[in-house]
Amino acid sequence: MLRPIQGIFNPADYPDLLVGLDSPDDAAVWRLDEERAVVLTRIFSLPVVDNPYSYGAIAAANALSDVYAMGGSRSWL
């Protein structure tokens, strides 16, 4: 889905973007400082359910799965 804009950004212009422009992946990783980074994900496939609670639970599980796939973990500031 994002392939048409693949050549628009030069990775060298974004040194804090650790993962996200080179190849398709589950999420992007942006460096905040020397010890921390944030993992960003976007869900493109929506769950097909009628119940709002189930919809949110499925969407959250998909997003967390992407974050963990990128090596992210839960941390609090």
Side-chain angles (χ1 to χ4, degrees):
M1 182 176 273
L2 297 176
R3 193 163 297 185
I5 65 168
Q6 185 175 11
I8 292 177
F9 301 101
N10 179 7
D13 294 338
Y14 303 93
D16 290 326
L17 184 60
L18 304 177
V19 177
L21 291 177
D22 294 331
S23 63
D25 223 323
D26 289 334
V29 181
W30 187 271
R31 179 185 12 239
L32 296 175
D33 56 35
E34 294 301 318
E35 297 178 5
R36 298 177 305 155
V38 64
V39 180
L40 307 151
T41 183
R42 170 70 170 96
I43 303 300
F44 287 103
S45 58
L46 301 175
V48 183
V49 294
D50 291 334
N51 181 314
Y53 181 85
S54 296
Y55 184 95
I58 293 168
N62 285 337
L64 286 173
S65 173
D66 289 350
V67 170
Y68 289 130
M70 299 304 296
S73 64
R74 185 180 96 179
S75 65
W76 304 99
L77 297 177

